[in-house]
Amino acid sequence: MDSKKKNCFLKYMKAMAAVLLSSVLFYFGMKDYVHVGKTDIGVAELYGNYLTVSQAKQHWQDSQKGDEITDLCFLCNGGVQTVKNSRYSRQTNVRVTGIIGMAALYDRQAAMLEESDENGCVIDKNTALDLFGSENCVGNQLMVGEDIYEVRGVAFWSQHMLLIRPAQKNLFCTQVLIRRKKGQSVESAASNFLLGNGLSGTLVDDSWMDVILPLFPVAFFVMFTISISRWMYRFENGDKQSGSREEERSGIDLKKCGCFIMRILLWGICLFFCTRLLSDIPKSWLPDKWSDFSFWPGKIQKTVEAFRWYIMFPKTMAQAERLVRGISCMIKCGAAALLIGIA
């Protein structure tokens, strides 16, 4: 009897440990889910006739005129270069990116670099530590080749980055960022801009994340509800002699009634949260006619192709941060669902 109680106690402790660990993982996974959010910025990789810096500035100025203002940001890829702090004989390698237009489209922390500031730069915290030994280095100077820039701000990026306003007018822009207007999709905003200005480009689309990401929290809620229902069923049928004589005479099993009500409430709560999460999936994934059986294969094929382009092309800091947060959410929520399922 003692050994039976001991086994039951161990099973109970394992189940509680699995519930606590999965809850912690799910909590941090949902924090990442909230940070991923929705994006209203389209990133197009240009090809064919590239714009020079002077042409990109002209496009930016034209977009700020008229009744409908278009938020744009052009990017010049400067590659990996050696940045020096000649005062302390320190140097490090960073990825240099030139921006023309609204810097906040690249990343909200890039807004520290003003539109006409060709002598300033924004660096990441690791580069600041490598060059100056501290993150508090605003106002200090650094060298990129023969050019000298003054640090305007330090961003909390995970990569070694240097953002500048390129002074050389003959450099080419390889990407353009466009903010969609209200009621407009990211894809149509990018397409309209490219066609309207005679440019060719491919959308670096991360909308596949909006489809896949909600499935992981949903999987946790479903597995959690199934596991709790299974435990309640064991509790309900585990001890046949626990009922009182009055319950047996009246024909009412209070334990079964209570467990039944709890399961109904549990599945109702699960359905509510799953519906809310699945509502984040874009409406473009719903066919106009449910009898259109060619819709899903075509949509999946298009999404897989967009994912391949997304992996291939360079990403903005906002896209990289969104990708890292999304993968973190998938891992944590997936692990939480697995833990609660096998508990």
Side-chain angles (χ1 to χ4, degrees), residues 15 18-19 22 219-220 223-224 227-228 230-231 335-343:
V19 169
S22 62
F220 172 80
M223 292 304 299
F224 180 83
S227 297
I228 298 297
R230 185 174 68 246
W231 295 341
L338 183 62
L339 272 175
I340 200 70
I342 64 178

Side-chain angles (χ1 to χ4, degrees), residues 23 76 80 122 137 188 308 321:
S23 299
C76 299
V80 177
V122 175
C137 59
S188 64
R308 289 174 179 171
E321 181 68 19

Side-chain angles (χ1 to χ4, degrees), residues 96-99 103 110-123 137-144 147-154 161-167:
V96 180
T97 300
I99 51 178
M112 293 182 283
L113 191 59
E114 295 182 0
E115 179 186 343
S116 59
D117 187 2
E118 295 184 351
N119 298 317
C121 67
V122 175
I123 59 177
C137 59
V138 175
N140 286 279
Q141 293 184 336
L142 53 81
M143 293 183 62
V144 182
D147 299 323
I148 299 176
Y149 296 96
E150 186 174 310
V151 179
R152 306 297 189 205
V154 178
M161 289 288 303
L162 173 70
L163 290 187
I164 59 173
R165 297 283 185 179

Side-chain angles (χ1 to χ4, degrees), residues 77-83 91-97 106 122-132 142 154-163 315 317 320:
N77 184 10
V80 177
Q81 298 188 39
T82 300
V83 180
Q91 65 180 39
T92 187
N93 294 327
V94 300
R95 176 184 167 190
V96 180
T97 300
Y106 181 81
V122 175
I123 59 177
D124 66 283
K125 59 179 182 179
N126 293 321
T127 301
L129 291 172
D130 291 342
L131 293 178
F132 306 103
L142 53 81
V154 178
F156 292 92
W157 297 324
S158 58
Q159 303 178 35
H160 282 72
M161 289 288 303
L162 173 70
L163 290 187
K315 301 162 189 60
M317 291 308 303

Side-chain angles (χ1 to χ4, degrees), residues 318-331:
Q319 284 182 316
E321 181 68 19
R322 195 165 184 259
L323 179 61
V324 170
R325 291 280 191 175
I327 293 175
S328 177
C329 173
M330 293 177 196
I331 293 173

